[in-house]
């Protein structure tokens, strides 16, 4: 079998990342330079600071990804890069780096949708894995839960997406981040809420579960507002915030809504597998909910591939490339770019 080596580049938000993946699955390297410490002081990602840091990090990160794969650009067949969605100034850094290398080496350039990348994280395995794990089978249902997006997609084959539902307001990760801020937990909110929740009682507060029955859509702003109301009331009464209980009760609600709706859709569309992807798929309670059921095979990436990385961009880029996609060198970034 011919090996197609893809160098993936990702810079859509606050991680600068590069990775070498063979044939869309076998990960030879995966390097991520995170900017978490830089943005901590602002309580969220500061776009201008993010793009400047990407400029500083991108070449060392790409070099390290090639080095760790024991390769140079001469061994690479395709350059895949995140085209969007994301922060314009951040995306441009990855895109221009990819274009420069593609032009300089005469390599094909493939622009990839970041959300699609998250979904393809489930195809990846580290090169040292003795036996490649089975690929997710089509048709499958993908729950995509990240900081900017929450959606359910029916995927009938490689690159064939049908969006069933989407959040009508906050993304799941955004809700974790906002609730963390409300109760005084540090950025990034998702991991902080998970940590606090582990010490709390998930039934301490009865928060609303917005099910939006009859649609596959989600809504998290009511849940977030309910947490805000409780926090305000406790503060007015000069009470100490039961941060762990608040975090645990919020997390239980969010996970329940995501899990229940996904399972319902999986049954309705009679899928062969469920894929859970995006930063929030790192959440332990969400992972346990899906791995604890036995109705459907479930694919959730390892923690290192849940949040933003470039291996997922290389993997999705491979499937586009073998499907005939090669983009021109004047390809522009798309800060807003729906998956389907
Ligand atoms: O996919 P991602 O790295 O970036 C985007 O494409 O948005 O997702 C980041 C989001 C953030 O909102 C972060 O708080 C959330 O994923 N997240 C988590 C956890 N780890 C990251 N949410 C809940 N529990 C976690 N353990
Ligand atoms: Zn992401």
């Amino acid at each position: 079998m011919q090996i197609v080596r893809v160098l993936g580049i990702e810079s859509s938000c606050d991680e600068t990342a590069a990775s070498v993946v063979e044939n869309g699955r076998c990960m030879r390297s995966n390097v991520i330079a995170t900017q978490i410490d830089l943005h901590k002081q602002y309580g969220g990602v500061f776009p201008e600071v993010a793009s400047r840091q990407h400029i500083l990090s991108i070449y060392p990160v790409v070099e390290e990804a090639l080095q760790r794969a024991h390769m140079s650009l001469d061994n690479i067949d395709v350059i895949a890069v995140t085209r969007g969605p994301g922060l314009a100034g951040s995306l441009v850094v990855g895109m221009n780096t990819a274009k420069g290398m593609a032009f300089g080496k005469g390599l094909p350039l493939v622009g990839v949708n970041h959300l699609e990348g998250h979904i393809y994280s489930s195809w990846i395995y580290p090169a040292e894995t003795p036996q490649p794990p089975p690929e997710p089978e089509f048709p499958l249902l993908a729950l995509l839960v990240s900081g900017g997006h929450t959606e359910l997609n029916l995927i009938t084959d490689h690159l064939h997406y049908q969006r069933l539902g989407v959040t009508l307001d906050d993304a799941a990760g955004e809700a974790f981040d906002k609730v963390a801020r409300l109760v005084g937990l540090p950025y990034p909110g998702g991991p902080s809420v998970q940590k606090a929740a582990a010490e709390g009682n998930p039934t301490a507060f009865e928060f609303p579960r917005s099910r939006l029955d009859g649609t596959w859509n989600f809504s998290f702003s009511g849940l977030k507002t309910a947490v805000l109301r409780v926090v305000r009331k406790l503060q007015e009464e000069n009470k100490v915030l039961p941060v762990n209980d608040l975090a645990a009760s919020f997390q239980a609600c969010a996970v329940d809504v995501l899990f229940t709706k996904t399972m319902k859709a999986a049954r309705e569309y009679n899928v062969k597998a469920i894929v859970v992807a995006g930063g929030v798929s790192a959440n332990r309670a969400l992972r346990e909910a899906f791995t604890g059921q036995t109705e459907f095979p479930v694919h959730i990436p390892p923690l290192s591939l849940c949040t933003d990385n470039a291996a997922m961009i290389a993997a999705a880029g491979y499937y586009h490339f073998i499907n005939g996609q090669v983009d021109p060198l004047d390809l522009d970034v798309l800060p807003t770019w729906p998956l389907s």
Side-chain angles (χ1 to χ4, degrees):
M1 186 188 182
Q2 194 203 342
I3 293 180
V4 178
R5 292 199 177 101
V6 183
L7 171 66
I9 296 177
E10 152 67 35
S11 69
S12 66
C13 191
D14 58 342
E15 323 278 6
T16 321
S19 164
V20 178
V21 176
E22 291 173 351
N23 290 357
R25 298 204 69 201
C26 176
M27 184 172 71
R28 292 277 162 200
S29 66
N30 186 31
V31 177
I32 304 172
T34 181
Q35 303 181 4
I36 284 180
D37 286 343
L38 264 182
H39 299 286
K40 227 173 206 160
Q41 57 187 306
Y42 308 110
V45 179
F46 196 126
E48 184 61 27
V49 173
S51 39
R52 281 164 194 249
Q53 189 57 40
H54 284 305
I55 293 171
L56 297 176
S57 304
I58 193 103
Y59 277 107
V61 164
V62 168
E63 251 168 45
E64 196 177 331
L66 288 168
Q67 255 172 30
R68 286 200 198 172
H70 306 290
M71 289 177 199
S72 74
L73 271 182
D74 293 330
N75 306 107
I76 298 297
D77 303 300
V78 179
I79 312 253
V81 62
T82 306
R83 188 180 180 196
L87 301 169
S90 292
L91 288 165
V92 160
V93 178
M95 177 61 80
N96 286 346
T97 306
K99 282 180 187 175
M101 289 189 299
F103 180 67
K105 286 286 178 185
L107 292 172
L109 175 78
V110 176
V112 172
N113 185 304
H114 178 87
L115 309 178
E116 189 173 28
H118 274 301
I119 290 167
Y120 272 94
S121 298
S122 278
W123 268 256
I124 300 167
Y125 61 87
E128 52 280 9
T129 309
Q131 184 73 28
E135 293 184 29
E137 262 193 272
F138 298 110
L140 63 83
L141 186 73
L143 171 68
L144 180 69
V145 270
S146 71
H149 298 83
T150 293
E151 50 185 75
L152 267 179
N153 279 280
L154 178 66
I155 310 181
T156 48
D157 200 350
H158 281 295
L159 316 179
H160 286 79
Y161 308 96
Q162 184 190 337
R163 194 163 79 176
L164 302 178
V166 66
T167 180
L168 301 179
D169 37 60
D170 293 344
E174 193 180 355
F176 271 89
D177 294 336
K178 286 180 176 169
V179 165
R181 231 172 288 151
L182 285 179
V183 300
L185 289 168
Y187 168 86
S192 304
V193 168
Q194 173 178 306
K195 199 164 162 221
E199 308 295 324
N201 172 7
T203 58
F205 295 93
E206 187 63 40
F207 292 132
R209 285 159 164 77
S210 177
R211 302 213 180 270
L212 303 180
D213 284 335
T215 79
W216 302 115
N217 292 329
F218 297 96
S219 167
F220 291 102
S221 76
L223 171 56
K224 173 199 66 192
T225 308
V227 178
L228 173 67
R229 270 200 218 104
V230 171
V231 168
R232 285 226 179 110
K233 185 162 176 287
L234 290 167
Q235 283 170 336
E236 276 162 20
E237 292 165 359
N238 284 325
K239 293 202 173 123
V240 178
L241 281 187
V243 173
N244 296 346
D245 287 348
L246 285 165
S249 303
F250 159 77
Q251 181 179 267
C253 268
V255 167
D256 180 34
V257 169
L258 291 167
F259 175 68
T260 310
K261 199 139 205 165
T262 306
M263 291 300 291
K264 206 171 164 194
R267 286 182 207 115
E268 175 101 3
Y269 288 91
N270 199 17
V271 295
K272 293 207 174 112
I274 293 175
V275 163
V276 187
V280 183
S281 66
N283 184 269
R284 195 181 308 140
L286 187 68
R287 297 171 81 89
E288 282 172 2
F290 279 102
T291 52
Q293 59 79 38
T294 51
E295 266 181 272
F296 299 95
V298 65
H299 301 263
I300 313 181
L303 290 181
S304 60
L305 295 178
C306 285
T307 44
D308 292 348
N309 64 87
M312 67 186 200
I313 302 303
Y318 165 79
Y319 289 99
H320 278 284
F321 178 71
I322 60 166
N323 196 42
Q325 180 184 331
V326 174
D327 287 313
L329 288 179
D330 63 354
L331 187 72
D332 211 351
V333 299
L334 293 174
T336 309
W337 185 15
L339 180 58
S340 48

